Short mmCIF file of all heavy atoms in Angstrom, two decimals:
data_model
loop_
_atom_site.label_atom_id
_atom_site.label_comp_id
_atom_site.label_asym_id
_atom_site.label_seq_id
_atom_site.Cartn_x
_atom_site.Cartn_y
_atom_site.Cartn_z
N MET A 1072 17.07 41.23 13.72
CA MET A 1072 16.68 40.66 12.33
C MET A 1072 15.54 39.65 12.53
O MET A 1072 15.60 38.69 13.24
CB MET A 1072 17.95 39.88 11.85
CG MET A 1072 17.73 39.21 10.54
SD MET A 1072 19.31 38.83 9.84
CE MET A 1072 19.21 37.18 9.58
N ALA A 1073 14.55 39.99 12.01
CA ALA A 1073 13.20 39.29 12.06
C ALA A 1073 13.11 38.10 10.93
O ALA A 1073 13.45 38.35 9.81
CB ALA A 1073 12.00 40.18 11.88
N THR A 1074 12.61 37.08 11.50
CA THR A 1074 12.47 35.94 10.54
C THR A 1074 10.86 35.73 10.29
O THR A 1074 10.17 35.91 11.24
CB THR A 1074 12.98 34.66 10.95
OG1 THR A 1074 12.42 34.28 12.26
CG2 THR A 1074 14.53 34.72 11.20
N GLU A 1075 10.61 35.34 9.03
CA GLU A 1075 9.23 35.22 8.73
C GLU A 1075 8.80 33.71 9.03
O GLU A 1075 9.45 32.81 8.72
CB GLU A 1075 8.85 35.46 7.22
CG GLU A 1075 7.48 35.63 6.90
CD GLU A 1075 7.34 36.08 5.53
OE1 GLU A 1075 8.00 37.10 5.12
OE2 GLU A 1075 6.53 35.49 4.83
N ALA A 1076 7.66 33.47 9.79
CA ALA A 1076 7.30 32.18 10.28
C ALA A 1076 6.62 31.53 9.08
O ALA A 1076 5.96 32.07 8.21
CB ALA A 1076 6.46 32.29 11.39
N HIS A 1077 6.90 30.14 9.00
CA HIS A 1077 6.22 29.37 7.75
C HIS A 1077 4.88 29.07 8.25
O HIS A 1077 4.56 28.72 9.40
CB HIS A 1077 7.17 28.08 7.76
CG HIS A 1077 6.46 27.10 6.82
ND1 HIS A 1077 6.34 27.30 5.48
CD2 HIS A 1077 5.76 25.91 6.88
CE1 HIS A 1077 5.68 26.26 4.88
NE2 HIS A 1077 5.37 25.39 5.75
N ASN A 1078 3.90 29.28 7.43
CA ASN A 1078 2.57 29.00 7.58
C ASN A 1078 2.21 27.51 7.38
O ASN A 1078 2.33 26.99 6.38
CB ASN A 1078 1.63 29.74 6.55
CG ASN A 1078 0.18 29.60 6.79
OD1 ASN A 1078 -0.22 29.03 7.76
ND2 ASN A 1078 -0.59 30.15 5.92
N ALA A 1079 2.03 26.89 8.63
CA ALA A 1079 1.69 25.41 8.60
C ALA A 1079 0.37 25.11 8.10
O ALA A 1079 0.16 23.85 7.82
CB ALA A 1079 1.86 24.88 10.04
N ASP A 1080 -0.54 25.93 7.95
CA ASP A 1080 -1.86 25.83 7.37
C ASP A 1080 -2.13 26.72 6.21
O ASP A 1080 -2.72 27.63 6.33
CB ASP A 1080 -2.83 26.12 8.50
CG ASP A 1080 -4.35 25.60 8.10
OD1 ASP A 1080 -4.38 24.71 7.31
OD2 ASP A 1080 -5.30 26.18 8.71
N PRO A 1081 -1.73 26.12 5.00
CA PRO A 1081 -1.78 26.97 3.82
C PRO A 1081 -3.28 27.19 3.31
O PRO A 1081 -4.15 26.43 3.73
CB PRO A 1081 -0.93 26.12 2.85
CG PRO A 1081 -1.04 24.82 3.19
CD PRO A 1081 -1.05 24.91 4.81
N ASP A 1082 -3.36 28.21 2.53
CA ASP A 1082 -4.77 28.50 2.07
C ASP A 1082 -5.14 27.44 0.98
O ASP A 1082 -4.47 27.32 0.00
CB ASP A 1082 -4.77 29.94 1.42
CG ASP A 1082 -6.11 30.36 0.90
OD1 ASP A 1082 -7.03 29.70 1.30
OD2 ASP A 1082 -6.16 31.32 0.21
N PRO A 1083 -6.30 26.83 1.21
CA PRO A 1083 -6.65 25.68 0.25
C PRO A 1083 -6.96 26.22 -1.14
O PRO A 1083 -6.84 25.39 -2.14
CB PRO A 1083 -7.96 25.19 0.86
CG PRO A 1083 -7.97 25.64 2.23
CD PRO A 1083 -7.09 26.81 2.33
N ASP A 1084 -7.34 27.47 -1.26
CA ASP A 1084 -7.54 28.00 -2.48
C ASP A 1084 -6.29 28.18 -3.40
O ASP A 1084 -6.29 28.34 -4.74
CB ASP A 1084 -8.23 29.32 -2.53
CG ASP A 1084 -9.72 29.29 -1.83
OD1 ASP A 1084 -10.35 28.11 -1.96
OD2 ASP A 1084 -10.18 30.26 -1.15
N GLU A 1085 -5.23 28.15 -2.80
CA GLU A 1085 -3.91 28.39 -3.50
C GLU A 1085 -3.25 27.08 -3.90
O GLU A 1085 -2.26 27.02 -4.54
CB GLU A 1085 -2.91 29.18 -2.75
CG GLU A 1085 -3.45 30.67 -2.58
CD GLU A 1085 -2.52 31.51 -1.73
OE1 GLU A 1085 -1.42 31.04 -1.50
OE2 GLU A 1085 -2.87 32.72 -1.51
N LEU A 1086 -3.78 26.00 -3.42
CA LEU A 1086 -3.14 24.60 -3.69
C LEU A 1086 -3.65 24.09 -4.98
O LEU A 1086 -4.83 24.35 -5.41
CB LEU A 1086 -3.61 23.62 -2.63
CG LEU A 1086 -3.03 23.95 -1.20
CD1 LEU A 1086 -3.55 22.98 -0.18
CD2 LEU A 1086 -1.50 23.90 -1.25
N PRO A 1087 -2.73 23.29 -5.86
CA PRO A 1087 -3.28 22.76 -6.99
C PRO A 1087 -4.24 21.57 -6.66
O PRO A 1087 -4.31 21.06 -5.62
CB PRO A 1087 -1.90 22.17 -7.63
CG PRO A 1087 -1.08 22.02 -6.47
CD PRO A 1087 -1.43 23.02 -5.41
N ALA A 1088 -4.99 21.33 -7.68
CA ALA A 1088 -6.02 20.20 -7.67
C ALA A 1088 -5.35 18.81 -7.34
O ALA A 1088 -4.37 18.58 -7.90
CB ALA A 1088 -6.85 20.02 -8.89
N GLY A 1089 -5.87 18.21 -6.28
CA GLY A 1089 -5.33 16.86 -5.99
C GLY A 1089 -4.32 16.84 -5.01
O GLY A 1089 -3.86 15.88 -4.47
N ALA A 1090 -3.85 18.12 -4.61
CA ALA A 1090 -2.77 18.17 -3.57
C ALA A 1090 -3.44 17.85 -2.16
O ALA A 1090 -4.70 18.12 -2.01
CB ALA A 1090 -2.15 19.56 -3.63
N PRO A 1091 -2.78 17.34 -1.32
CA PRO A 1091 -3.34 17.19 0.19
C PRO A 1091 -3.87 18.38 0.61
O PRO A 1091 -3.09 19.42 0.64
CB PRO A 1091 -2.13 16.61 0.86
CG PRO A 1091 -1.19 16.13 -0.13
CD PRO A 1091 -1.34 16.87 -1.34
N GLY A 1092 -5.09 18.51 1.06
CA GLY A 1092 -5.66 19.69 1.60
C GLY A 1092 -6.27 20.54 0.56
O GLY A 1092 -6.76 21.64 0.85
N ALA A 1093 -6.25 20.14 -0.71
CA ALA A 1093 -6.94 20.95 -1.76
C ALA A 1093 -8.44 21.09 -1.46
O ALA A 1093 -9.08 20.25 -0.84
CB ALA A 1093 -6.75 20.28 -3.09
N GLY A 1094 -9.04 22.10 -2.02
CA GLY A 1094 -10.33 22.48 -1.86
C GLY A 1094 -11.38 21.30 -2.09
O GLY A 1094 -11.98 20.85 -1.21
N SER A 1095 -11.38 20.82 -3.28
CA SER A 1095 -12.36 19.84 -3.76
C SER A 1095 -11.77 18.44 -3.40
O SER A 1095 -12.48 17.51 -3.13
CB SER A 1095 -12.71 19.85 -5.12
OG SER A 1095 -11.51 19.63 -6.00
N GLY A 1096 -10.39 18.19 -3.32
CA GLY A 1096 -9.79 16.96 -3.03
C GLY A 1096 -9.78 16.00 -4.16
O GLY A 1096 -9.38 14.82 -4.09
N SER A 1097 -10.26 16.51 -5.36
CA SER A 1097 -10.44 15.57 -6.50
C SER A 1097 -9.29 15.87 -7.54
O SER A 1097 -8.78 17.01 -7.60
CB SER A 1097 -11.84 15.67 -7.24
OG SER A 1097 -11.91 16.84 -7.72
N VAL A 1098 -9.01 15.04 -8.45
CA VAL A 1098 -8.16 15.24 -9.55
C VAL A 1098 -8.88 15.63 -10.72
O VAL A 1098 -9.83 14.82 -11.14
CB VAL A 1098 -7.15 13.93 -9.78
CG1 VAL A 1098 -6.17 14.39 -10.97
CG2 VAL A 1098 -6.52 13.66 -8.52
N GLU A 1099 -8.50 16.63 -11.45
CA GLU A 1099 -9.24 17.15 -12.62
C GLU A 1099 -8.80 16.31 -13.73
O GLU A 1099 -7.70 15.80 -13.82
CB GLU A 1099 -8.88 18.70 -12.91
CG GLU A 1099 -9.39 19.56 -11.79
CD GLU A 1099 -10.82 19.72 -11.55
OE1 GLU A 1099 -11.59 19.60 -12.55
OE2 GLU A 1099 -11.25 19.81 -10.43
N PRO A 1100 -9.68 16.20 -14.78
CA PRO A 1100 -9.36 15.42 -15.92
C PRO A 1100 -8.07 16.10 -16.66
O PRO A 1100 -8.02 17.27 -16.76
CB PRO A 1100 -10.46 15.66 -16.87
CG PRO A 1100 -11.59 15.87 -15.92
CD PRO A 1100 -11.15 16.63 -14.78
N GLY A 1101 -7.06 15.24 -16.96
CA GLY A 1101 -5.99 15.72 -17.59
C GLY A 1101 -4.85 15.91 -16.66
O GLY A 1101 -3.66 16.09 -17.10
N ASP A 1102 -5.01 15.88 -15.31
CA ASP A 1102 -3.89 16.08 -14.37
C ASP A 1102 -3.18 14.78 -14.23
O ASP A 1102 -2.00 14.84 -13.84
CB ASP A 1102 -4.52 16.39 -13.02
CG ASP A 1102 -5.10 17.82 -12.89
OD1 ASP A 1102 -4.69 18.52 -13.81
OD2 ASP A 1102 -5.63 18.23 -11.86
N THR A 1103 -3.70 13.61 -14.51
CA THR A 1103 -2.95 12.36 -14.34
C THR A 1103 -2.39 11.95 -15.79
O THR A 1103 -3.20 11.96 -16.71
CB THR A 1103 -3.86 11.15 -13.95
OG1 THR A 1103 -4.50 11.60 -12.62
CG2 THR A 1103 -3.13 9.89 -13.74
N PRO A 1104 -1.19 11.58 -15.81
CA PRO A 1104 -0.51 11.28 -17.19
C PRO A 1104 -1.27 9.91 -17.72
O PRO A 1104 -1.68 9.20 -16.81
CB PRO A 1104 0.99 11.04 -16.74
CG PRO A 1104 1.25 11.58 -15.49
CD PRO A 1104 -0.13 11.67 -14.77
N PRO A 1105 -1.39 9.80 -18.90
CA PRO A 1105 -1.95 8.68 -19.60
C PRO A 1105 -1.34 7.33 -19.05
O PRO A 1105 -1.90 6.32 -18.94
CB PRO A 1105 -2.04 8.82 -21.13
CG PRO A 1105 -1.70 10.26 -21.08
CD PRO A 1105 -1.11 10.68 -20.04
N GLY A 1106 0.03 7.24 -18.97
CA GLY A 1106 0.68 6.14 -18.63
C GLY A 1106 0.50 5.65 -17.18
O GLY A 1106 0.60 4.51 -16.93
N GLU A 1107 -0.04 6.54 -16.35
CA GLU A 1107 -0.38 6.23 -14.99
C GLU A 1107 -1.86 5.68 -14.81
O GLU A 1107 -2.27 5.27 -13.72
CB GLU A 1107 -0.16 7.34 -14.12
CG GLU A 1107 1.29 7.83 -14.16
CD GLU A 1107 2.24 6.74 -13.70
OE1 GLU A 1107 1.90 6.08 -12.60
OE2 GLU A 1107 3.39 6.73 -14.16
N SER A 1108 -2.59 5.97 -15.84
CA SER A 1108 -4.14 5.71 -15.68
C SER A 1108 -4.56 4.13 -15.82
O SER A 1108 -5.55 3.78 -15.29
CB SER A 1108 -4.88 6.52 -16.72
OG SER A 1108 -4.57 6.00 -17.87
N SER A 1109 -3.70 3.41 -16.32
CA SER A 1109 -4.09 1.96 -16.49
C SER A 1109 -2.91 0.99 -16.60
O SER A 1109 -1.75 1.52 -16.47
CB SER A 1109 -4.86 1.83 -17.88
OG SER A 1109 -4.02 2.05 -18.96
N VAL A 1110 -3.15 -0.20 -16.48
CA VAL A 1110 -2.05 -1.25 -16.44
C VAL A 1110 -2.03 -1.85 -17.87
O VAL A 1110 -3.01 -2.35 -18.33
CB VAL A 1110 -2.37 -2.34 -15.43
CG1 VAL A 1110 -1.33 -3.40 -15.60
CG2 VAL A 1110 -2.43 -1.74 -14.11
N SER A 1111 -0.92 -1.68 -18.56
CA SER A 1111 -0.84 -2.27 -19.84
C SER A 1111 0.06 -3.58 -19.95
O SER A 1111 -0.18 -4.21 -20.95
CB SER A 1111 -0.08 -1.24 -20.80
OG SER A 1111 1.29 -1.04 -20.33
N ALA A 1112 0.68 -3.96 -18.86
CA ALA A 1112 1.46 -5.16 -18.88
C ALA A 1112 0.46 -6.43 -18.32
O ALA A 1112 -0.41 -6.04 -17.59
CB ALA A 1112 2.67 -5.18 -17.98
N VAL A 1113 0.85 -7.65 -18.54
CA VAL A 1113 0.09 -8.74 -18.26
C VAL A 1113 0.38 -8.93 -16.64
O VAL A 1113 1.55 -8.80 -16.30
CB VAL A 1113 0.57 -10.04 -19.04
CG1 VAL A 1113 -0.19 -11.20 -18.40
CG2 VAL A 1113 0.16 -9.82 -20.50
N GLN A 1114 -0.53 -9.17 -15.97
CA GLN A 1114 -0.44 -9.26 -14.55
C GLN A 1114 -0.52 -10.82 -14.13
O GLN A 1114 -1.05 -11.65 -14.83
CB GLN A 1114 -1.51 -8.72 -13.79
CG GLN A 1114 -1.64 -7.18 -13.94
CD GLN A 1114 -0.38 -6.49 -13.41
OE1 GLN A 1114 0.02 -6.75 -12.35
NE2 GLN A 1114 0.34 -5.68 -14.25
N GLY A 1115 0.17 -11.26 -13.06
CA GLY A 1115 0.30 -12.68 -12.68
C GLY A 1115 1.40 -13.38 -13.23
O GLY A 1115 2.31 -12.78 -13.77
N HIS A 1116 1.44 -14.64 -13.19
CA HIS A 1116 2.44 -15.52 -13.68
C HIS A 1116 2.43 -15.69 -15.19
O HIS A 1116 1.33 -15.65 -15.72
CB HIS A 1116 2.52 -16.85 -12.97
CG HIS A 1116 1.43 -17.67 -13.35
ND1 HIS A 1116 0.11 -17.57 -12.76
CD2 HIS A 1116 1.33 -18.80 -14.24
CE1 HIS A 1116 -0.66 -18.62 -13.45
NE2 HIS A 1116 0.05 -19.33 -14.18
N GLY A 1117 3.53 -16.01 -15.79
CA GLY A 1117 3.56 -16.21 -17.19
C GLY A 1117 3.19 -17.60 -17.52
O GLY A 1117 3.11 -18.48 -16.74
N GLU A 1118 2.89 -17.84 -18.78
CA GLU A 1118 2.47 -19.15 -19.15
C GLU A 1118 3.72 -20.14 -19.22
O GLU A 1118 3.50 -21.33 -19.29
CB GLU A 1118 1.90 -19.09 -20.60
CG GLU A 1118 0.60 -18.40 -20.66
CD GLU A 1118 -0.46 -18.98 -19.75
OE1 GLU A 1118 -0.48 -20.23 -19.71
OE2 GLU A 1118 -1.23 -18.18 -19.04
N ASP A 1119 4.98 -19.65 -19.10
CA ASP A 1119 6.10 -20.52 -19.08
C ASP A 1119 6.67 -20.85 -17.77
O ASP A 1119 7.72 -21.08 -17.54
CB ASP A 1119 7.26 -19.80 -20.02
CG ASP A 1119 7.57 -18.45 -19.52
OD1 ASP A 1119 6.75 -17.84 -18.77
OD2 ASP A 1119 8.72 -17.95 -19.81
N ALA A 1120 5.72 -20.73 -16.81
CA ALA A 1120 6.22 -21.08 -15.43
C ALA A 1120 6.43 -22.56 -15.27
O ALA A 1120 5.98 -23.36 -16.09
CB ALA A 1120 4.84 -20.83 -14.49
N PRO A 1121 7.35 -22.88 -14.33
CA PRO A 1121 7.72 -24.27 -14.24
C PRO A 1121 6.60 -25.19 -13.74
O PRO A 1121 5.56 -24.78 -13.29
CB PRO A 1121 8.77 -24.19 -13.12
CG PRO A 1121 8.67 -22.90 -12.32
CD PRO A 1121 8.04 -21.90 -13.44
N ALA A 1122 6.81 -26.47 -13.98
CA ALA A 1122 5.73 -27.43 -13.56
C ALA A 1122 5.45 -27.30 -12.10
O ALA A 1122 6.31 -27.00 -11.37
CB ALA A 1122 6.14 -28.74 -14.05
N ARG A 1123 4.33 -27.75 -11.65
CA ARG A 1123 3.79 -27.78 -10.39
C ARG A 1123 4.78 -28.72 -9.46
O ARG A 1123 4.93 -28.32 -8.24
CB ARG A 1123 2.36 -28.19 -10.17
CG ARG A 1123 1.80 -28.08 -8.92
CD ARG A 1123 0.35 -27.67 -8.80
NE ARG A 1123 -0.16 -27.67 -7.52
CZ ARG A 1123 -0.21 -26.70 -6.51
NH1 ARG A 1123 0.42 -25.60 -6.87
NH2 ARG A 1123 -0.64 -26.87 -5.38
N TRP A 1124 5.18 -29.78 -10.02
CA TRP A 1124 6.02 -30.78 -9.31
C TRP A 1124 7.37 -30.08 -8.82
O TRP A 1124 7.94 -30.63 -7.80
CB TRP A 1124 6.18 -32.10 -9.97
CG TRP A 1124 6.91 -31.95 -11.18
CD1 TRP A 1124 6.48 -31.67 -12.40
CD2 TRP A 1124 8.45 -31.84 -11.33
NE1 TRP A 1124 7.53 -31.64 -13.32
CE2 TRP A 1124 8.73 -31.76 -12.63
CE3 TRP A 1124 9.40 -32.20 -10.45
CZ2 TRP A 1124 10.03 -31.79 -13.21
CZ3 TRP A 1124 10.64 -32.03 -10.84
CH2 TRP A 1124 10.98 -31.94 -12.31
N THR A 1125 7.72 -29.06 -9.60
CA THR A 1125 9.14 -28.43 -9.26
C THR A 1125 9.05 -27.94 -7.83
O THR A 1125 10.01 -28.07 -7.19
CB THR A 1125 9.36 -27.42 -10.26
OG1 THR A 1125 9.27 -28.07 -11.58
CG2 THR A 1125 10.86 -26.84 -10.12
N GLN A 1126 8.10 -27.16 -7.42
CA GLN A 1126 8.03 -26.62 -6.13
C GLN A 1126 8.12 -27.78 -4.99
O GLN A 1126 8.73 -27.53 -4.06
CB GLN A 1126 6.92 -25.69 -5.98
CG GLN A 1126 5.58 -26.36 -6.05
CD GLN A 1126 4.39 -25.28 -5.93
OE1 GLN A 1126 4.53 -24.12 -5.58
NE2 GLN A 1126 3.22 -25.75 -6.31
N TRP A 1127 7.48 -28.77 -5.24
CA TRP A 1127 7.39 -29.92 -4.31
C TRP A 1127 8.68 -30.64 -4.17
O TRP A 1127 9.12 -31.16 -3.17
CB TRP A 1127 6.31 -30.85 -4.54
CG TRP A 1127 4.90 -30.25 -4.41
CD1 TRP A 1127 3.90 -29.98 -5.38
CD2 TRP A 1127 4.33 -29.98 -3.10
NE1 TRP A 1127 2.92 -29.31 -4.80
CE2 TRP A 1127 3.02 -29.31 -3.45
CE3 TRP A 1127 4.77 -29.97 -1.84
CZ2 TRP A 1127 2.27 -28.79 -2.36
CZ3 TRP A 1127 3.98 -29.58 -0.80
CH2 TRP A 1127 2.70 -28.96 -1.21
N ALA A 1128 9.44 -30.76 -5.37
CA ALA A 1128 10.73 -31.28 -5.33
C ALA A 1128 11.72 -30.41 -4.44
O ALA A 1128 12.52 -30.91 -3.68
CB ALA A 1128 11.16 -31.45 -6.76
N TRP A 1129 11.59 -29.08 -4.74
CA TRP A 1129 12.47 -28.17 -3.88
C TRP A 1129 12.20 -28.32 -2.38
O TRP A 1129 12.96 -28.29 -1.50
CB TRP A 1129 12.30 -26.72 -4.33
CG TRP A 1129 13.24 -26.49 -5.50
CD1 TRP A 1129 12.83 -26.22 -6.75
CD2 TRP A 1129 14.56 -26.23 -5.39
NE1 TRP A 1129 13.89 -25.93 -7.59
CE2 TRP A 1129 15.04 -25.88 -6.73
CE3 TRP A 1129 15.58 -26.22 -4.49
CZ2 TRP A 1129 16.31 -25.65 -7.16
CZ3 TRP A 1129 16.83 -25.94 -4.83
CH2 TRP A 1129 17.24 -25.79 -6.15
N LEU A 1130 10.90 -28.33 -2.13
CA LEU A 1130 10.48 -28.36 -0.62
C LEU A 1130 10.82 -29.69 -0.14
O LEU A 1130 11.41 -29.82 1.07
CB LEU A 1130 8.95 -28.30 -0.45
CG LEU A 1130 8.46 -26.90 -0.72
CD1 LEU A 1130 6.93 -26.84 -0.63
CD2 LEU A 1130 8.99 -25.95 0.36
N GLY A 1131 10.85 -30.85 -0.86
CA GLY A 1131 11.24 -32.18 -0.38
C GLY A 1131 12.84 -32.23 -0.11
O GLY A 1131 13.12 -32.83 0.88
N GLY A 1132 13.42 -31.64 -1.17
CA GLY A 1132 14.93 -31.60 -0.95
C GLY A 1132 15.35 -30.80 0.22
O GLY A 1132 16.26 -31.27 1.02
N ILE A 1133 14.71 -29.73 0.55
CA ILE A 1133 15.10 -28.84 1.71
C ILE A 1133 14.67 -29.60 3.00
O ILE A 1133 15.44 -29.62 3.93
CB ILE A 1133 14.40 -27.57 1.53
CG1 ILE A 1133 14.98 -26.61 0.45
CG2 ILE A 1133 14.55 -26.80 2.90
CD1 ILE A 1133 14.14 -25.46 0.14
N GLY A 1134 13.51 -30.23 2.93
CA GLY A 1134 13.10 -31.10 4.14
C GLY A 1134 14.01 -32.18 4.39
O GLY A 1134 14.33 -32.47 5.54
N LEU A 1135 14.54 -32.93 3.24
CA LEU A 1135 15.45 -33.88 3.46
C LEU A 1135 16.79 -33.46 4.13
O LEU A 1135 17.34 -33.98 5.08
CB LEU A 1135 15.75 -34.63 2.18
CG LEU A 1135 16.67 -35.80 2.21
CD1 LEU A 1135 15.98 -37.01 2.96
CD2 LEU A 1135 16.93 -36.25 0.76
N VAL A 1136 17.31 -32.32 3.61
CA VAL A 1136 18.53 -31.69 4.28
C VAL A 1136 18.28 -31.36 5.81
O VAL A 1136 19.16 -31.67 6.54
CB VAL A 1136 19.03 -30.57 3.48
CG1 VAL A 1136 20.07 -29.68 4.23
CG2 VAL A 1136 19.39 -30.87 2.10
N VAL A 1137 17.14 -30.83 5.97
CA VAL A 1137 16.86 -30.56 7.54
C VAL A 1137 16.83 -31.75 8.31
O VAL A 1137 17.30 -31.77 9.42
CB VAL A 1137 15.49 -29.55 7.54
CG1 VAL A 1137 15.07 -29.52 8.94
CG2 VAL A 1137 15.66 -28.23 7.02
N LEU A 1138 16.08 -32.74 7.84
CA LEU A 1138 15.85 -34.03 8.58
C LEU A 1138 17.25 -34.58 8.68
O LEU A 1138 17.67 -35.10 9.81
CB LEU A 1138 15.06 -34.99 7.77
CG LEU A 1138 14.79 -36.23 8.31
CD1 LEU A 1138 14.01 -36.03 9.75
CD2 LEU A 1138 13.95 -37.21 7.56
N VAL A 1139 18.28 -34.69 7.70
CA VAL A 1139 19.48 -35.34 7.99
C VAL A 1139 20.29 -34.56 8.99
O VAL A 1139 20.98 -35.08 9.77
CB VAL A 1139 20.29 -35.37 6.57
CG1 VAL A 1139 21.68 -35.76 6.82
CG2 VAL A 1139 19.58 -36.45 5.67
N GLY A 1140 20.15 -33.17 8.90
CA GLY A 1140 20.98 -32.52 9.91
C GLY A 1140 20.50 -32.60 11.37
O GLY A 1140 21.27 -32.70 12.26
N ALA A 1141 19.10 -32.74 11.43
CA ALA A 1141 18.51 -32.91 12.81
C ALA A 1141 18.99 -34.29 13.18
O ALA A 1141 19.36 -34.56 14.45
CB ALA A 1141 17.08 -32.80 12.71
N LEU A 1142 19.00 -35.43 12.38
CA LEU A 1142 19.32 -36.70 12.83
C LEU A 1142 20.90 -36.74 13.22
O LEU A 1142 21.19 -37.38 14.08
CB LEU A 1142 19.10 -37.71 11.80
CG LEU A 1142 17.68 -38.09 11.52
CD1 LEU A 1142 17.42 -38.85 10.32
CD2 LEU A 1142 16.96 -38.66 12.90
N ALA A 1143 21.66 -35.98 12.44
CA ALA A 1143 23.12 -35.90 12.80
C ALA A 1143 23.36 -35.23 14.26
O ALA A 1143 24.04 -35.78 14.99
CB ALA A 1143 23.84 -35.09 11.89
N PHE A 1144 22.57 -34.22 14.55
CA PHE A 1144 22.77 -33.60 15.91
C PHE A 1144 22.14 -34.57 16.93
O PHE A 1144 22.90 -34.76 18.01
CB PHE A 1144 21.81 -32.35 15.98
CG PHE A 1144 22.58 -31.07 15.44
CD1 PHE A 1144 22.37 -30.52 14.24
CD2 PHE A 1144 23.56 -30.51 16.19
CE1 PHE A 1144 23.03 -29.42 13.79
CE2 PHE A 1144 24.35 -29.46 15.75
CZ PHE A 1144 24.04 -28.83 14.58
N LEU A 1145 21.08 -35.28 16.62
CA LEU A 1145 20.51 -36.26 17.53
C LEU A 1145 21.58 -37.27 17.76
O LEU A 1145 21.80 -37.84 18.81
CB LEU A 1145 19.27 -36.76 17.08
CG LEU A 1145 18.60 -37.72 18.05
CD1 LEU A 1145 18.14 -37.01 19.20
CD2 LEU A 1145 17.30 -38.30 17.37
N GLY A 1146 22.20 -37.84 16.79
CA GLY A 1146 23.16 -38.93 16.77
C GLY A 1146 24.36 -38.49 17.57
O GLY A 1146 24.83 -39.23 18.56
N TYR A 1147 24.87 -37.20 17.50
CA TYR A 1147 25.98 -36.72 18.24
C TYR A 1147 25.66 -36.59 19.65
O TYR A 1147 26.36 -36.90 20.59
CB TYR A 1147 26.56 -35.40 17.84
CG TYR A 1147 27.45 -35.66 16.57
CD1 TYR A 1147 27.17 -35.04 15.29
CD2 TYR A 1147 28.63 -36.39 16.73
CE1 TYR A 1147 28.06 -35.19 14.28
CE2 TYR A 1147 29.54 -36.61 15.55
CZ TYR A 1147 29.24 -35.94 14.34
OH TYR A 1147 30.02 -36.18 13.32
N GLY A 1148 24.30 -36.12 20.07
CA GLY A 1148 23.84 -35.95 21.32
C GLY A 1148 23.72 -37.26 22.05
O GLY A 1148 23.99 -37.32 23.25
N LEU A 1149 23.27 -38.22 21.36
CA LEU A 1149 23.10 -39.60 22.12
C LEU A 1149 24.48 -40.32 22.10
O LEU A 1149 24.33 -41.43 22.67
CB LEU A 1149 22.09 -40.41 21.36
CG LEU A 1149 20.55 -39.68 21.37
CD1 LEU A 1149 19.57 -40.56 20.70
CD2 LEU A 1149 20.13 -39.67 22.87
N GLY A 1150 25.54 -39.83 21.43
CA GLY A 1150 26.67 -40.55 21.42
C GLY A 1150 26.83 -41.69 20.47
O GLY A 1150 27.76 -42.58 20.42
N LEU A 1151 25.94 -41.73 19.50
CA LEU A 1151 26.08 -42.76 18.37
C LEU A 1151 26.90 -42.43 17.29
O LEU A 1151 27.29 -43.43 16.57
CB LEU A 1151 24.42 -42.77 17.71
CG LEU A 1151 23.34 -43.12 18.73
CD1 LEU A 1151 22.04 -43.19 18.04
CD2 LEU A 1151 23.68 -44.61 19.25
N LEU A 1152 27.26 -41.12 17.09
CA LEU A 1152 28.32 -40.86 15.98
C LEU A 1152 29.49 -40.32 16.50
O LEU A 1152 30.16 -39.50 15.80
CB LEU A 1152 27.59 -39.73 15.12
CG LEU A 1152 26.17 -40.13 14.42
CD1 LEU A 1152 25.66 -39.02 13.66
CD2 LEU A 1152 26.44 -41.27 13.53
N ASP A 1153 30.17 -40.80 17.59
CA ASP A 1153 31.24 -40.42 18.28
C ASP A 1153 32.43 -40.86 17.36
O ASP A 1153 32.74 -41.82 16.94
CB ASP A 1153 31.42 -40.82 19.71
CG ASP A 1153 30.51 -40.02 20.49
OD1 ASP A 1153 30.18 -38.95 20.10
OD2 ASP A 1153 30.26 -40.50 21.65
#
């Protein structure tokens, strides 16, 4: 029983336009759906973003928790919080 081998190098003339290895390598007009050709939504952050101080408040709070935790470990290590 003979099996037919798969051609790893297809004929470029038989590939659709825009496919990898296609003859011209370009996409013909009309091949790309209109929804994919441009961006219709607003990019970036919205105007209702939180105030700038909010991010600094969060970073300060996290830093405070880390500092208290480090001081607790240091206190136990030095025998101050036994």
Side-chain angles (χ1 to χ4, degrees):
M1072 183 159 118
T1074 58
E1075 194 171 316
H1077 175 69
N1078 185 3
D1080 190 20
D1082 185 13
D1084 294 331
E1085 294 179 8
L1086 294 174
S1095 65
S1097 65
V1098 177
E1099 299 294 325
D1102 285 349
T1103 305
E1107 301 295 325
S1108 64
S1109 66
V1110 177
S1111 61
V1113 176
Q1114 298 296 306
H1116 70 281
E1118 295 299 322
D1119 58 342
R1123 183 146 174 88
W1124 65 268
T1125 307
Q1126 64 183 343
W1127 291 109
W1129 275 104
L1130 286 173
I1133 292 169
L1135 184 65
V1136 168
V1137 168
L1138 181 64
V1139 168
L1142 289 176
F1144 275 106
L1145 185 63
Y1147 280 118
L1149 295 175
L1151 300 175
L1152 298 176
D1153 285 341

